Amino acid sequence: MLKIVSVVGARPQFIKAAAVSRVLRSTEGVKEILVHTGQHYDANMSDVFFEELEIPRPDYNLGIGSGTHGEQTGKMLEAIEKVLLEEKPDWVLVYGDTNSTLAGALAAVKLHIPVAHVEAGLRSFNRHMPEEINRVLTDHASDLLFAPTKTAVINLRHEGIPEERIKLVGDVMYDAALFYGKRAERQSQILNKLGLKPKEYILATVHRAENTDDPVRLRIIFDALCEIAREIKVVLPLHPRTREALIKSGMYDKVASCICLTEPVGYLDMVMLEKNARLIATDSGGVQKEAFFYRVPCVTLREETEWVELVELGWNCVVPPLSVGEIADAVMSRLGSFSGAEENPYGDGHSAAKIVDYLINTGK
Ligand code: UD1
Ligand code: UDP
């Protein structure tokens, strides 16, 4: 029996793990042990995904919660190590670029347990982002690196990662979008609930530390969204980090009066909001790609993006949040009829199956 410990902890990891876990659990001779670090813990940041996406209950919930980077990552490292000593798996599988990813990879590699990284090779080349540090360190600790795109493969080669460790498998978020997209159409009531008509609103999300923790950027982004909201409705499911930042800066009430703020929504509601938006403005990695999966134009509120293909294909435009006018202009100029190139750099929707094949066959 091949034993795989999957480590997850934050919202986007539940969605990625849902796609892989479904294949793992339907494969004979494979046993998955799911570890939830507890990095995200509110019901609408965690439980809702387990329920909607039918992810099995975690075998371990480490309940780590929030904290500074060192505190959070350190507590995870200690707790994951205990699980690994107990379970002695053949592989540890980690996802993306959060503190949970790095803690899982580090705990495993120090115990000489092989590590596989889903979404390897993404780079912003911006070392101020906590995610960039997590990605680089996780990739260099990993034995199997599952790259979602050709760009990711090239990035890994440039860093001298041995070729035999790098596997181009496509993007598991595309698998998830294909699998759950139709279910969202059937089940989600979010458009009715929020009184939205297809293509008559903009969907926005903001949660990156470099935007929420910089009061100037936070103000620019929300002033721009408020300006846009004078022309077209803006809907924004609010990440708890951003809620806190808006309250702390005294901006919350004003923002709530011009933008339709909601609690974070479940994945199926999010998919419906994305599919039916006229445009998406976001600093999220996952949401940028989902905009493309549903062929909705996207404005990325950051200095750069790891998902450079989206910009090359014309579906995404990166607007650093430095000027209210530039953000508003970029959004307003893309509200007319819009299309980018028809090419899909994210694989064939069977990335999870390829990952499971490699896990089974590597090292045999
Ligand atoms: C984390 C990841 C980020 C990812 C994002 C996905 C790191 C360094 N960052 O950022 O890469 O894009 O998840 O959403 O791992 N909070 C709650 N309830 C929760 C979770 C968080 O209130 O369930 C609040 C807490 O005040 C916490 C803050 O949000 O301090 C930030 O949470 P944290 O998990 O540290 O980072 P994210 O910003 O969510
Ligand atoms: N998402 C969601 N509800 C929300 C906001 C996002 O289900 O209210 C989903 C979104 O569809 C995508 C993932 O969460 O699949 C992206 O997570 P997030 O933006 O938190 O992190 P990132 O991808 O930037 O790391």
Side-chain angles (χ1 to χ4, degrees):
M1 182 69 74
L2 189 78
K3 199 192 239 190
I4 297 171
V5 165
S6 300
V7 179
V8 295
R11 173 166 70 186
Q13 293 168 328
F14 307 138
I15 294 153
K16 292 165 199 173
V20 178
S21 190
R22 239 173 10 91
V23 180
L24 277 176
R25 301 207 181 214
S26 63
T27 305
E28 234 174 275
V30 176
K31 181 172 168 59
E32 183 186 36
I33 308 282
L34 191 59
V35 177
H36 186 334
T37 63
Q39 177 169 351
H40 286 174
Y41 43 85
D42 290 346
N44 57 23
M45 295 293 287
S46 177
D47 294 357
V48 66
F49 300 98
F50 284 80
E51 285 153 21
E52 276 188 351
L53 309 183
E54 293 161 338
I55 308 168
R57 274 176 65 85
D59 298 276
Y60 295 85
N61 194 326
L62 308 178
I64 304 296
S66 307
T68 62
H69 287 284
E71 187 186 13
Q72 189 182 51
T73 315
K75 282 185 189 162
M76 287 176 188
L77 184 59
E78 192 179 350
I80 295 169
E81 183 178 64
K82 288 202 178 90
V83 173
L84 299 184
L85 287 169
E86 171 81 23
E87 295 289 345
K88 299 185 178 56
D90 299 292
W91 283 103
V92 169
L93 191 56
V94 295
Y95 294 86
D97 55 15
T98 73
N99 289 347
S100 300
T101 316
L102 177 60
L106 205 48
V109 73
K110 296 263 184 142
L111 295 174
H112 308 142
I113 299 169
V115 182
H117 183 202
V118 177
E119 211 178 79
L122 272 287
R123 294 291 182 269
S124 64
F125 303 102
N126 174 356
R127 303 269 287 195
H128 286 287
M129 288 179 73
E131 293 85 358
E132 184 74 354
I133 306 300
N134 292 341
R135 293 178 193 127
V136 171
L137 297 180
T138 300
D139 282 341
H140 285 260
S142 294
D143 299 272
L144 264 183
L145 294 94
F146 295 122
T149 60
K150 287 183 192 149
T151 312
V153 171
I154 293 166
N155 290 338
L156 293 171
R157 282 185 189 143
H158 281 164
E159 290 177 19
I161 303 276
E163 194 66 33
E164 64 274 12
R165 293 189 190 175
I166 307 171
K167 308 294 174 195
L168 176 60
V169 293
D171 192 327
V172 293
M173 287 192 81
Y174 185 47
D175 293 22
L178 292 177
F179 189 81
Y180 296 106
K182 290 190 194 79
R183 190 180 295 191
E185 300 268 0
R186 286 197 303 273
Q187 289 185 15
S188 170
Q189 295 299 322
I190 192 76
L191 296 187
N192 283 341
K193 205 171 134 196
L194 299 179
L196 300 171
K197 295 212 173 68
K199 303 299 165 188
E200 290 190 5
Y201 65 91
I202 283 173
L203 176 67
T205 77
V206 178
H207 78 279
R208 287 274 151 223
E210 65 264 29
N211 287 335
T212 59
D213 298 5
D214 177 338
V216 176
R217 282 183 181 232
L218 188 72
R219 184 166 292 280
I220 289 173
I221 289 173
F222 280 93
D223 281 354
L225 292 175
C226 284
E227 192 167 318
I228 294 160
R230 286 200 241 150
E231 305 291 329
I232 179 166
K233 198 162 186 172
V234 177
V235 179
L236 191 147
L238 194 56
H239 191 289
R241 172 183 209 110
T242 317
R243 175 181 295 274
E244 278 173 32
L246 287 174
I247 292 171
K248 201 169 132 205
S249 66
M251 290 165 66
Y252 183 86
D253 289 343
K254 187 203 159 202
V255 169
S257 71
C258 55
I259 294 177
C260 171
L261 295 179
T262 71
E263 291 292 312
V265 296
Y267 182 71
L268 301 182
D269 283 347
M270 190 64 182
V271 166
M272 271 314 262
L273 287 173
E274 289 170 340
K275 277 188 170 183
N276 290 287
R278 173 93 69 93
L279 178 143
I280 296 177
T282 187
D283 61 7
S284 158
V287 176
Q288 282 176 62
K289 277 180 296 167
E290 287 164 356
F292 168 73
F293 297 155
Y294 306 123
R295 301 299 188 265
V296 175
C298 184
V299 169
T300 296
L301 303 168
R302 284 184 43 196
E303 294 286 333
E304 70 287 296
T305 179
E306 300 78 23
W307 304 101
V308 290
E309 304 78 13
L310 300 173
V311 178
E312 285 156 14
L313 295 175
W315 288 97
N316 193 344
C317 126
V318 176
V319 182
L322 303 173
S323 138
V324 172
E326 277 174 27
I327 297 174
D329 286 352
V331 168
M332 299 313 288
S333 68
R334 284 165 175 254
L335 293 184
S337 76
F338 185 90
S339 71
E342 273 310 322
E343 208 181 289
N344 183 2
Y346 298 109
D348 59 5
H350 297 287
S351 305
K354 290 175 193 148
I355 287 170
V356 174
D357 267 359
Y358 281 121
L359 290 172
I360 292 172
N361 294 313
T362 302
K364 265 193 173 170

